[in-house]
Amino acid sequence: MKILVSQDYQSLSQKACGFIEEEVNRNPASVLGLATGSTPLQTYHEMAEGHKTRAVDYHNISTINLDEYVGLGESDPQSYHFFMKEHLFDKVNINQARTYIPNGLADDLEEECSRYEQLIDQIGPPDLQILGIGQNGHIGFNEPRTSFKSETHIIKLAESTRKANARFFKSLEDVPKSAITMGIQSILKSKKILLLASGENKAEAIRSLLEDPPSDDVPASALCFHKNVTLLVDKEAYKKVEYLRGDELNHD
Ligand code: PGA
């Protein structure tokens, strides 16, 4: 795993945007794997800026998102469909017919999982997958002890995840109890992976990812088995590792 440590969230987001723009400029028909949550927000903002000021062209790309809450439709402001439109899809010249997110309102959720996994194989796998990491080490919504061999599935959200995400809802009770998520095996199909982590509240997950042997207690540790992963981390999220390794880092 290649590790790039940034001074702060802003600099990390600019670097993440740089990776994405390089990919899209090199291959205008790229397939991007996208994530939601607070971490990629500034990256998406930088992409929108890049589209406006550097004429980065997203017209021919396709996107595949990691996950969606069960029970939330695309007009629900807390759904990941809504998030992606608001923060990226409506801000760049992407063809929204080629943006894919699991359907959290499907009548048959198991069938939706199989359909989505097939879609990943047909449209993708992503050339570049963007990932955040949960405080408990989850990637997508693959909570601790999800099998590394999992494909798209329904997951019961960990209470810690529901609490962490409650900030987006009126109350904790409003946070859905389950989600559809790409599995860990699905994520590992991606050709390149960019894992983003910012802030002190991710420092323990990053320590565990980099210092402990891979284990399903920390789903992100499955990334150790992938050949092309770059971890973009800021100083705060890296600080436990920096302390343990005694690195003298030159942050940019
Ligand atoms: P966050 O979430 O970016 O909102 O911290 C990341 C995640 O839970 O995967």
Side-chain angles (χ1 to χ4, degrees), residues 108-167:
D108 186 334
L109 290 168
E110 290 304 329
E111 196 179 292
E112 174 61 8
C113 293
S114 320
R115 183 194 72 87
Y116 204 71
E117 193 65 34
Q118 278 171 28
L119 196 112
I120 297 165
D121 293 334
Q122 281 160 13
I123 312 289
D127 296 296
L128 179 63
Q129 172 70 56
I130 310 302
L131 289 180
I133 183 169
Q135 289 175 41
N136 63 1
H138 73 204
I139 46 174
F141 271 134
N142 293 286
E143 303 287 25
R145 281 168 288 289
T146 302
S147 162
F148 284 3
K149 297 207 178 321
S150 54
E151 297 197 319
T152 304
H153 61 286
I154 308 295
I155 185 100
K156 182 174 178 299
L157 298 177
E159 273 315 290
S160 62
T161 298
R162 293 186 66 242
K163 282 188 188 137
N165 289 4
R167 67 191 191 279

Side-chain angles (χ1 to χ4, degrees), residues 1 131-134 136-140 142-146 148 184 187-188 193 195 205-206 208-210 214-226 229 231:
M1 187 176 300
L131 289 180
I133 183 169
N136 63 1
H138 73 204
I139 46 174
N142 293 286
E143 303 287 25
R145 281 168 288 289
T146 302
F148 284 3
I184 294 177
I187 292 171
L188 292 177
I193 294 177
L195 175 64
I206 294 301
S208 185
L209 168 67
L210 296 179
S215 134
D216 62 11
D217 288 338
V218 180
S221 67
L223 300 174
C224 299
F225 301 111
H226 190 282
V229 179
L231 168 63

Side-chain angles (χ1 to χ4, degrees), residues 36-40 66-67 80 131-136 138-141 161 164-165 167-168 196 198 201-202:
T36 51
S38 302
T39 311
L66 286 167
D67 44 22
Y80 288 158
L131 289 180
I133 183 169
Q135 289 175 41
N136 63 1
H138 73 204
I139 46 174
F141 271 134
T161 298
N165 289 4
R167 67 191 191 279
F168 299 112
L196 313 179
S198 166
N201 63 348
K202 301 296 169 68

